[in-house]
Amino acid sequence: MQQKRSQVLERDGLFELDAGTDVLDSPRYNHDIAPTQVHQRTWNKWHITALWVGMAICVPTYTLGGVLTAYFGLSVGEALLAILLANIIVLIPLTLNAFAGTKYGIPFPVLLRSSFGVIGSNVPCLIRALVACGWFGIQTMFGGLAIHLFLGSIFDGWKALGGTGEVIGFMMFWTLNLWVVLRGAESIKRLETLSAPLLILVGAGLLFWALPNVSLSELLAQPPKRPEGASVVGYFCAGLTAMVGFWATLSLNIPDFSRYAESQKAQIVGQIIGLPLTMFLFASLGVVMTAASVSLVGEMVSDPVTLIGHIQSPFWVALAMALIIIATLSTNTAANIVSPTNDFQNIAPKLIGRTQAVILTGLVGLALMGHELLKKLGLIVSNVSLDTVYSNWLLGYSSLLGPIAGIMVVDYFIIKKQTLDLAGLYRDDVYPAWNWFGFIAFAVPVLLTLLSLGSTAFSWFYDYGWFTGSLLGGLLYYGLCAMRGTDPATVAKPNA
């Protein structure tokens, strides 16, 4: 007979839920977003490291140096420094927001119920999910191109398909991504563990190919593309903010992965080893490869898929494309499908399970890339490029998520003092349906950031959007909670 009241058990500092009917029958609960049991938390520091290597080695990382030099007016050396520093900075919210996931085994949307309310959590969840679906579409476009070039290197007739072949490749890669995630977290762990060493070998091979064709000293000596005599500070900080924004989304939903970590040490050490150095080295490789591309293939090429596609040897093209497919798959499944899958389930857990949520994620990503796919099929003509979407909308949009990161850290570490009612997060009688303090603390910095776009005097607020947003959001949230009464933690109690 099923017990009526849920029990929370502690095992070596990790908590798990022995769910009773009060939780099992709740409309806020289903098996997929339930807390992981301690025996399910099997990811050690090397699994976490492999996760980040798999996510960081991807086509967008490769192009970051070019984005910073072309769009943000930085020199090559400044761009690489901004990438390294940004990924050291983003480790702070990543490791802090991962704590609750590891301790309680809960995913990102369930953790948000503490700071935004049981129902209110859906708003920031869906904002986060939209960004992930956009990235999913972009990565799938790169993966589809790799499949197209792979098949073109094997079958001569495939090349003649042109854009139609790329669209077919897109749909094949789209299907493969959804299949991996539908198989569950262990499938993702195995994929990341397998792909990490292969991706490192790919990077080493590309570097070996490029180095004889580029002078590193001349590359670093190239002048920046900004007005002569302009101060580097403003340009550097704007670029730094954009690079922080690159993983700003993962700094929110990192509990989706840390809920499988075997300990806090494993998630901290794994992230420190896996993220900053991988991002720096692969972005550096992208800078070197782009500079060497003129000598290698006779023209400037800024993405590795197109560059490798210029190689005359079908064997090497096929091998390289197979590895790029693995690289893009490992990034896409972990970084861009897991989060919206959990986020969509949070809307109505009893009605939306993992299968429905994964398919919904895929359909939204497909819709967001519809314009680009129709261009490739020749059905529409447009000057809007994928690069424009990637470098402008998504990076800018991601930087607006800073307040959520600040609110999450303050709520868990200061307001709740690292203590959550685990069963209460899945019911309607402990945490409020809507925590308006979270919404106010989120809306104010976002509104100020948008208003600063039209003001020269306050343009710095937008340029440093992720930093200003996260700090202001966290401070506002604490101030609002502190004003409520003698105990700020009352926002988590029944009828608060």
Side-chain angles (χ1 to χ4, degrees):
M1 182 177 178
Q2 181 68 52
Q3 64 185 18
K4 291 186 177 181
R5 201 70 181 171
S6 299
Q7 303 294 321
V8 177
L9 309 175
E10 180 184 359
R11 304 179 189 275
D12 298 323
L14 303 180
F15 291 79
E16 65 181 17
L17 182 67
D18 182 10
T21 55
D22 61 325
V23 166
L24 294 174
D25 296 338
S26 169
R28 314 302 168 199
Y29 175 92
N30 74 18
H31 175 73
D32 294 314
I33 62 172
T36 53
Q37 299 295 298
V38 171
H39 71 83
Q40 295 175 302
R41 302 177 203 179
T42 59
W43 294 29
N44 60 33
K45 63 183 178 182
W46 298 116
H47 292 127
I48 303 293
T49 298
L51 172 72
W52 277 109
V53 171
M55 289 196 295
I57 297 182
C58 60
V59 175
T61 300
Y62 180 101
T63 63
L64 286 181
V67 169
L68 288 175
T69 54
Y71 291 96
F72 291 89
L74 300 183
S75 68
V76 170
E78 292 164 354
L80 295 179
L81 178 61
I83 292 168
L84 179 62
L85 184 57
N87 284 281
I88 292 174
I89 291 171
V90 85
L91 271 177
I92 298 172
L94 274 167
T95 53
L96 291 177
N97 282 331
F99 264 76
T102 301
K103 182 175 180 178
Y104 291 103
I106 53 177
F108 164 65
V110 174
L111 177 58
L112 273 187
R113 294 174 181 180
S114 173
S115 51
F116 284 86
V118 175
I119 298 175
S121 62
N122 287 300
V123 176
C125 278
L126 292 178
I127 292 172
R128 165 66 182 100
L130 181 61
V131 180
C133 290
W135 281 116
F136 167 63
I138 286 177
Q139 292 277 13
T140 303
M141 195 68 71
F142 286 125
L145 175 59
I147 288 179
H148 169 65
L149 293 173
F150 173 80
L151 293 174
S153 68
I154 299 175
F155 307 108
D156 290 335
W158 190 272
K159 294 180 181 179
L161 292 175
T164 301
E166 291 184 38
V167 173
I168 295 173
F170 177 96
M171 295 308 303
M172 293 170 65
F173 192 68
W174 181 88
T175 304
L176 181 60
N177 277 265
L178 302 191
W179 177 77
V180 169
V181 178
L182 284 172
R183 289 175 59 86
E186 283 299 306
S187 175
I188 294 173
K189 184 177 81 171
R190 287 193 293 270
L191 173 64
E192 301 298 337
T193 304
L194 169 68
S195 65
L198 291 176
L199 300 181
I200 293 172
L201 288 175
V202 171
L206 288 173
L207 188 62
F208 179 78
W209 180 40
L211 275 180
N213 296 280
V214 65
S215 169
L216 294 180
S217 58
E218 291 181 5
L219 183 61
L220 292 172
Q222 290 179 359
K225 298 176 181 178
R226 57 175 179 261
E228 188 174 351
S231 171
V232 69
V233 176
Y235 289 89
F236 184 84
C237 289
L240 182 69
T241 300
M243 293 305 99
V244 170
F246 188 82
W247 287 123
T249 50
L250 261 294
S251 72
L252 303 182
N253 77 283
I254 190 62
D256 289 332
F257 301 102
S258 66
R259 64 195 292 229
Y260 298 103
E262 64 181 14
S263 66
Q264 297 292 3
K265 181 179 179 181
Q267 67 93 357
I268 294 171
V269 174
Q271 294 197 87
I272 290 174
I273 296 174
L275 175 60
L277 195 57
T278 304
M279 286 291 294
F280 174 75
L281 292 177
F282 201 67
S284 300
L285 174 67
V287 171
V288 172
M289 291 296 298
T290 301
S293 62
V294 176
S295 299
L296 293 169
V297 300
E299 61 179 289
M300 182 75 74
V301 181
S302 62
D303 79 82
V305 180
T306 304
L307 178 62
I308 295 170
H310 282 80
I311 299 176
Q312 297 302 311
S313 167
F315 171 78
W316 287 112
V317 171
L319 178 61
M321 288 306 155
L323 293 173
I324 286 178
I325 290 167
I326 293 173
T328 310
L329 181 66
S330 66
T331 299
N332 223 11
T333 52
N336 302 321
I337 304 181
V338 171
S339 176
T341 294
N342 289 334
D343 296 338
F344 289 138
Q345 288 185 81
N346 192 61
I347 299 171
K350 295 298 186 188
L351 300 177
I352 305 175
R354 184 174 67 199
T355 300
Q356 295 94 327
V358 170
I359 293 173
L360 182 57
T361 298
L363 291 176
V364 174
L366 179 63
L368 290 174
M369 288 297 106
H371 177 272
E372 191 70 17
L373 293 172
L374 291 174
K375 278 177 58 179
K376 291 183 180 299
L377 290 172
L379 298 177
I380 63 172
V381 178
S382 171
N383 293 324
V384 178
S385 68
L386 191 64
D387 287 342
T388 302
V389 175
Y390 157 58
S391 60
N392 294 330
W393 180 74
L394 281 174
L395 286 179
Y397 188 70
S398 296
S399 70
L400 294 178
L401 301 180
I404 301 176
I407 291 166
M408 290 174 66
V409 170
V410 169
D411 180 73
Y412 182 68
F413 285 95
I414 300 178
I415 304 301
K416 306 298 167 44
K417 298 179 173 61
Q418 301 186 62
T419 300
L420 299 173
D421 186 326
L422 185 55
L425 288 169
Y426 293 90
R427 303 199 309 261
D428 290 319
D429 59 347
V430 175
Y431 294 85
W434 298 83
N435 183 359
W436 295 109
F437 291 169
F439 284 96
I440 294 170
F442 171 64
V444 170
V446 168
L447 182 61
L448 290 175
T449 300
L450 295 175
L451 290 175
S452 68
L453 282 171
S455 170
T456 305
F458 291 98
S459 60
W460 58 271
F461 199 93
Y462 176 80
D463 291 340
Y464 312 146
W466 191 89
F467 299 99
T468 53
S470 58
L471 290 172
L472 182 56
L475 288 172
L476 279 173
Y477 184 74
Y478 176 76
L480 290 167
C481 291
M483 287 191 302
R484 187 174 186 112
T486 56
D487 179 11
T490 54
V491 294
K493 294 180 179 178
N495 303 317

